[in-house]
Amino acid sequence: MLVTEYSGRGKQGMDSSQGNDVRHGISCARRTARAAKADGARDHEAALAVHRHCGVSLLRAHRIVHGYTLVEAVDALKELLRERGTPAEGLAHQRMSQWECGQDTPSPHYLDALCLLYRTRPDRLGFGTDYSEPDPVPRRELEDTVDRRHFLGFAAAGATFMSAPSVLVGWSNEELEQPGGRRATTAYVGMLEDLTEQNGFGLYTTPPAEFIPSRMVDLARIEACLLRAASESARRRLHRMYAKNAGFIAIRLNDIAGPEETFEWFRIARLAAGRAEDDTVQAWVAGHVGDACTCQRHGYASGLTAAQKAQTAGARVANPAAVLGHLVEAGVHARLGRRRETIDAVRNAERMYEQLPAEATVADGVGVSEYLLRWHQTNALAAVGAHQAAAPLRERVLEMPFIRDDEIGKALLDLDVAAAEFDAGQVDQGCDTVGAAWQRLPGEFRTGQVPRRAFEILDGLKPQHAVTRAVADVRELLAVSGQTALPG
């Protein structure tokens, strides 16, 4: 193989139930819960273990720990409410699912009932924060190391901001200078940071029509907070969040839009990262700018420069931005037909990825998960014609749960298969693969990256293949159903 030999298990022996991809299946979550309980963990500690290992919300983790299906949890909640004399027959499992996914937040009435059902308190379900004084007796290490990544979803943040604007926006600078005002500001900035981190987990799996407007709402919240933030430290934190959310928008636009919209949002992200004085975020933005240059077939020299800038992050210490820089470099070289340079960059990314700490390999939009690594390696190797090396990596990507929700990723992998078939002279089969991938693709993704890659492959066909009826038909399919003009 051209890259480190893949044994079928990945980094640190990762399989479908053990690894760094935060999108694990229900069986993995149940195994994690059982293992935690076997080690003597209490229910909320086992839920925390599931939350941290599998990336699910704390609310869903509690349901899994208690052994409920979604429907069973709703029925149990209804029964509990009936016993308390407050029946809720209209409650459906769809609503519970929205609470668990952060798309909605339970009212105080339902939140209290959920706490009773799972025998816990709101912050352990992901709604709010425990501000009580520390216990005089040391607590278990698992509880002490809780991160608040998923403690408040988008809807809960919106409810906090919209229902109590005086908490922040309506306060005067004098009020913010008081101890209570500073605490409120600090708490709100912390909430926005948690929300920003949560946003990254849906970067490649949430539909753009939902994801992009939501990030714009978050930017408005951050702007409002910037108007009142008194300390320079808080302002830098807010600019860092602004850079990440603007970057998320640009990354998603890269999938469905043209260079003008994509690079304008990257410009905004770059400015905010500069104001945050955060070299790591600046490198992260640079890496994705380079990737956009590759995907947009726009300014390969600029893309290579951006990729190399990302590689300088961390002063040669392994970090996600530098890994991304190597992956993007591989993609640029591949589009320029530089086989040796592509393979070298793929190997460099592999070596650095192996050195990353586990917390840097989660699929949070900032880290580099194994899914992202293998996908980029596969795409670069396929683009340069190294199909034999790309095949096992592509098989690994297709084994990962993340691929089920990444419509763009699936389609582009199918196009890599088509490229291999075209290179082998199997023109009709390659056209069938392109057509099938296109027909499976939801309509909202039929602009942007997928048609660009499809036309890139078709434009690179040998002259005797390019003039066949099958190629003409698939070009017409792409142009008409995607409502794009045929390339000149």
Side-chain angles (χ1 to χ4, degrees):
M1 284 185 61
L2 298 174
V3 298
T4 301
E5 188 68 29
Y6 177 65
S7 65
R9 291 184 62 83
K11 184 181 178 185
Q12 300 173 348
M14 183 167 73
D15 58 21
S16 61
S17 66
Q18 177 185 6
N20 299 312
D21 189 339
V22 299
R23 300 295 178 183
H24 297 181
I26 186 65
S27 59
C28 175
R30 288 170 178 162
R31 283 195 298 271
T32 302
R34 287 196 298 269
K37 295 297 286 291
D39 288 339
R42 290 170 288 179
D43 286 345
H44 73 271
E45 293 169 333
L48 176 60
V50 172
H51 161 68
R52 290 176 62 83
H53 181 71
C54 300
V56 301
S57 68
L58 285 169
L59 182 59
R60 187 181 183 203
H62 274 80
R63 173 168 62 79
I64 293 169
V65 166
H66 283 79
Y68 290 126
T69 66
L70 194 61
V71 174
E72 289 170 347
V74 171
D75 289 340
L77 193 63
K78 285 181 178 179
E79 180 61 27
L80 188 152
L81 289 167
R82 278 195 294 269
E83 292 174 357
R84 301 176 73 181
T86 56
E89 298 301 329
L91 180 64
H93 71 276
Q94 292 92 339
R95 192 169 186 186
M96 176 79 84
S97 178
Q98 289 174 338
W99 294 340
E100 292 186 351
C101 295
Q103 297 171 353
D104 195 3
T105 186
S107 67
H109 170 68
Y110 283 124
L111 180 55
D112 183 68
L114 286 166
C115 289
L116 182 59
L117 177 65
Y118 296 135
R119 300 293 176 180
T120 190
R121 64 192 193 212
D123 62 290
R124 287 177 176 167
L125 292 178
F127 302 99
T129 306
D130 180 14
Y131 291 113
S132 61
E133 293 296 326
D135 295 334
V137 179
R139 294 181 293 171
R140 297 176 61 90
E141 180 181 357
L142 185 63
E143 186 174 350
D144 288 338
T145 57
V146 61
D147 65 5
R148 297 184 297 141
R149 180 165 55 217
H150 298 284
F151 92 99
L152 200 57
F154 162 60
T160 301
F161 187 80
M162 297 305 292
S163 64
S166 61
V167 170
L168 182 66
V169 179
W171 284 23
S172 67
N173 289 333
E174 291 76 12
E175 289 172 311
L176 288 172
E177 303 254 339
Q178 300 302 315
R182 287 197 297 272
R183 283 197 298 271
T185 304
T186 300
Y188 191 75
V189 171
M191 185 201 72
L192 290 174
E193 286 177 326
D194 289 333
L195 179 60
T196 297
E197 188 170 358
Q198 171 73 19
N199 293 341
F201 288 97
L203 177 58
Y204 297 105
T205 55
T206 305
E210 174 186 340
F211 184 84
I212 293 173
S214 295
R215 300 297 71 75
M216 291 181 177
V217 171
D218 293 338
L219 289 177
R221 295 191 179 99
I222 296 169
E223 286 178 343
C225 199
L226 276 166
L227 293 173
R228 296 296 186 182
S231 73
E232 188 59 33
S233 174
R235 294 184 65 81
R236 282 197 296 270
R237 290 166 65 187
L238 289 163
H239 283 306
R240 185 182 302 115
M241 287 181 264
Y242 204 100
K244 287 183 179 180
N245 280 285
F248 291 156
I249 291 173
I251 292 166
R252 211 62 178 118
L253 283 172
N254 185 45
D255 286 338
I256 61 170
E260 183 176 351
E261 300 91 341
T262 300
F263 288 110
E264 174 59 19
W265 276 100
F266 274 128
R267 183 186 69 82
I268 295 170
R270 187 166 54 243
L271 287 173
R275 290 171 182 167
E277 300 178 5
D278 191 315
D279 293 339
T280 300
V281 176
Q282 291 184 62
W284 172 74
V285 173
H288 282 288
V289 167
D291 186 46
C293 289
T294 304
C295 297
Q296 299 278 352
R297 302 166 69 179
H298 179 81
Y300 290 139
S302 298
L304 190 58
T305 298
Q308 291 168 346
K309 180 177 179 180
Q311 293 170 24
T312 64
R316 299 184 181 275
V317 176
N319 64 88
V323 174
L324 178 61
H326 288 297
L327 293 173
V328 171
E329 181 185 0
V332 173
H333 285 314
R335 267 61 183 188
L336 294 172
R338 300 170 179 170
R339 185 183 179 94
R340 181 180 61 81
E341 290 86 347
T342 300
I343 293 170
D344 286 345
V346 166
R347 286 172 171 163
N348 288 336
E350 180 84 17
R351 282 193 289 267
M352 182 169 283
Y353 176 81
E354 290 295 332
Q355 301 172 34
L356 290 179
E359 61 269 19
T361 61
V362 296
D364 61 355
V366 178
V368 175
S369 64
E370 190 195 4
Y371 176 85
L372 194 66
L373 173 78
R374 302 300 178 203
W375 190 95
H376 275 278
Q377 289 176 324
T378 300
N379 185 256
L381 291 170
V384 83
H387 300 298
Q388 185 175 358
L393 297 172
R394 181 167 55 250
E395 291 174 4
R396 172 58 183 158
V397 175
L398 293 172
E399 292 173 354
M400 298 182 184
F402 202 96
I403 192 66
R404 291 195 296 265
D405 298 315
D406 184 5
E407 298 290 352
I408 293 286
K410 280 188 291 190
L412 292 174
L413 287 179
D414 287 340
L415 293 180
D416 288 344
V417 172
E421 292 166 344
F422 284 129
D423 286 350
Q426 301 168 348
V427 180
D428 289 347
Q429 188 171 341
C431 288
D432 288 343
T433 301
V434 173
W438 187 254
Q439 297 288 12
R440 286 193 295 268
L441 189 67
E444 65 182 308
F445 296 117
R446 290 186 177 180
T447 60
Q449 191 168 170
V450 173
R452 281 195 300 268
R453 175 61 176 149
F455 281 121
E456 179 184 43
I457 293 170
L458 296 173
D459 291 344
L461 293 178
K462 296 177 181 179
Q464 64 269 32
H465 295 158
V467 297
T468 62
R469 180 63 185 176
V471 172
D473 287 345
V474 79
R475 278 182 172 274
E476 183 177 359
L477 173 67
L478 296 174
V480 174
S481 63
Q483 297 181 346
T484 63
L486 286 168

